[in-house]
Amino acid sequence: MLLRRGFTLLDVPLMVRAEALVNTAHFPIGQDQTYSIADEDKWLVGTSEVPLVSYYAQEIVDATAPIRLAAVTPCFRNEIGSAGRDVHGLYRVHQFSKVEQVILCEDSLELSEQLFEEITANAEDILSLLELPYRIMAVCTGDMSQKTYKQWDIETWMPSRQAYGETHSSSNLLDFQARRSNIRYRDAAGKKHYCYTLNNTAIASPRILIPLLENHQQEDGSIRIPEALQPYMNGLERLTR
């Protein structure tokens, strides 16, 4: 879906130097959440946002049109500080897979707002195709990281929790990451500007399996497979015991 909507899919490294995590503002605050490689300046990524943004570090890019990037990767998070919350089951795990959207654009607040809504809509469309109930929450300043100008979380209904649980997140970072990573573009007059960056979780597994299995479970215990997924399941319409 993202390819059809103009995103370029990249195969990115899962191990990065600390510099990349600092430049994308995941370090130093999030260092305790990140797995390190012993005796090396290498860290396992908790999101492909890090290598996607870092791909253009120290470069002057052509931002005439927004640069839309995506990656499908395993991700690793230590989850220190979760205080034992959600450590059983699929909700909070140390390794998961994620489809990430990243956009670099000109330093226009109006344009970045349009792109923010675009990447959020992409995630919404995926949830609609999966036939899942969800809501969008505006994240307050106190719950956002230092890099974030604006953030919306998408929460999907999870019957076993009797609550909505976060499954997606959209962030508009303005030029925070680009300044650290030194990613710039030239305007029509040739003047250099720092890009704006945005990111969104298109989908992450296994967490999405919670609402997917629970909302589609039938009275006989079988799981109805949403029509959009059936071609990927060789036409199977239900999961049965």
Side-chain angles (χ1 to χ4, degrees), residues 62-83:
D62 181 1
T64 306
I67 301 171
R68 295 173 171 86
L69 306 173
V72 186
T73 66
C75 300
F76 307 88
R77 293 185 186 172
N78 207 347
E79 298 293 2
I80 289 176
S82 61

Side-chain angles (χ1 to χ4, degrees), residues 67-160:
I67 301 171
R68 295 173 171 86
L69 306 173
V72 186
T73 66
C75 300
F76 307 88
R77 293 185 186 172
N78 207 347
E79 298 293 2
I80 289 176
S82 61
R85 291 179 292 111
D86 308 314
V87 294
H88 301 289
L90 302 178
Y91 193 82
R92 194 182 300 276
V93 294
H94 295 299
Q95 178 181 335
F96 56 97
S97 295
K98 183 156 67 84
V99 180
E100 187 76 6
Q101 308 175 70
V102 164
I103 296 183
L104 292 82
C105 68
E106 296 179 347
D107 61 348
S108 163
L109 185 58
E110 180 180 4
L111 174 60
S112 69
E113 284 291 308
Q114 293 173 3
L115 295 170
F116 180 79
E117 294 187 6
E118 174 189 314
I119 58 177
T120 304
N122 289 339
E124 287 188 82
D125 288 346
I126 290 172
L127 285 173
S128 295
L129 287 168
L130 296 178
E131 303 171 36
L132 295 175
Y134 67 89
R135 67 184 184 184
I136 297 179
M137 304 289 290
V139 179
C140 68
T141 303
D143 286 338
M144 293 193 300
S145 66
Q146 62 170 344
K147 63 182 178 177
T148 308
Y149 164 75
K150 182 177 182 179
Q151 180 178 336
W152 286 350
D153 284 349
I154 301 179
E155 299 180 340
T156 308
W157 178 250
M158 301 181 181
S160 64

Side-chain angles (χ1 to χ4, degrees), residues 162-177:
Q162 282 298 294
Y164 287 91
E166 179 201 337
T167 52
H168 304 69
S169 183
S170 294
S171 298
N172 185 350
L173 312 181
L174 300 185
D175 58 359
F176 196 106
Q177 289 180 327

